[in-house]
């Protein structure tokens, strides 16, 4: 388009075109070409500006992705550390349980395991202030009297939930 405008201008300047109508047409075309060039330059400028804005957005989003990824990595690290800690605790508690279970008579352990399976993982409960801590029911007077009269090594059980009751100084007997 620039070339065409230059050529038109050259023809105009050369004086080869003499007809007033042709001269007017030529001048008109030159003006119209100049306007189109200006319009195109505006478009190019706008495209460049939009490209710049898009690049800024890309780098902004890239930064955010990196920041989110680093948070994910952080959380993953904390999760792994927590898993490791829990695994360690499970191993140590399991070992502890084995030691304690080894000191419990076999028939009592069998009863406990059976109750534990039936009662949602709790086979024995503390008797606290005349209340079974397994089912939270207060024991009846007659039951408390029976427990009070039982020998310390007798296995006593809750009348309500059948769990083994563990007597302590706080049992309220
Ligand atoms: Zn109970």
């Amino acid at each position: 388009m620039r070339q065409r405008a230059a050529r038109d201008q050259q023809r105009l300047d050369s004086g080869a075109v003499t007809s007033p109508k042709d001269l007017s047409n030529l001048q008109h075309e030159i003006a119209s070409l100049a306007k189109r060039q200006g319009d195109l330059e505006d478009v190019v400028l706008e495209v460049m500006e939009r490209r710049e804005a898009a690049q800024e957005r890309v780098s902004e989003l890239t930064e955010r992705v990196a920041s989110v990824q680093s948070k994910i990595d952080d959380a993953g690290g904390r999760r792994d550390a927590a898993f490791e800690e829990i695994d360690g605790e499970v191993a140590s508690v399991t070992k502890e349980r084995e030691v304690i279970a080894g000191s419990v008579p076999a028939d009592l352990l069998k009863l406990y395991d059976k109750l534990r399976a039936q009662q949602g993982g709790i086979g024995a409960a503390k008797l606290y202030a005349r209340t079974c801590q397994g089912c939270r029911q207060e024991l009846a007077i007659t039951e408390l009297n029976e427990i009070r009269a039982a020998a310390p090594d007798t296995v006593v059980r809750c009348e309500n939930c059948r769990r083994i009751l563990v007597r302590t100084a706080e049992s309220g007997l």
Side-chain angles (χ1 to χ4, degrees), residues 132 134-135 158 160-161:
C132 166
C135 64
C158 172
N160 181 49
C161 69

Side-chain angles (χ1 to χ4, degrees), residues 45-147:
L45 209 64
E46 198 194 313
V47 167
M48 276 166 68
E49 275 170 10
R50 281 171 58 189
R51 183 167 170 254
E52 207 171 300
Q55 272 171 342
E56 263 173 41
R57 187 93 179 107
V58 165
S59 45
E60 197 185 301
L61 288 175
T62 306
E63 253 175 56
R64 276 174 60 190
V65 166
S67 142
V68 167
Q69 187 58 53
S70 112
K71 277 182 195 155
I72 290 170
D73 292 347
D74 258 22
R78 286 203 304 275
R79 179 206 55 204
D80 290 347
F83 273 158
E84 213 169 293
E85 203 178 310
I86 291 166
D87 286 347
E89 235 169 276
V90 166
S92 115
V93 170
T94 303
K95 207 169 165 186
E96 219 174 295
R97 188 194 185 275
E98 272 168 25
V99 171
I100 294 166
S103 71
V104 174
D107 53 347
L108 180 56
L109 193 63
K110 206 175 148 192
L111 173 67
Y112 168 78
D113 282 337
K114 196 182 93 185
L115 288 167
R116 187 167 158 245
Q118 287 170 354
Q119 300 287 356
I122 301 170
K126 207 194 267 189
L127 177 61
Y128 178 81
R130 304 178 179 197
T131 304
C132 166
Q133 295 299 292
C135 64
R136 309 274 160 182
Q137 290 282 315
E138 192 172 339
L139 273 61
I141 295 290
T142 49
E143 208 183 334
L144 285 167
N145 285 339
E146 272 172 39
I147 292 170

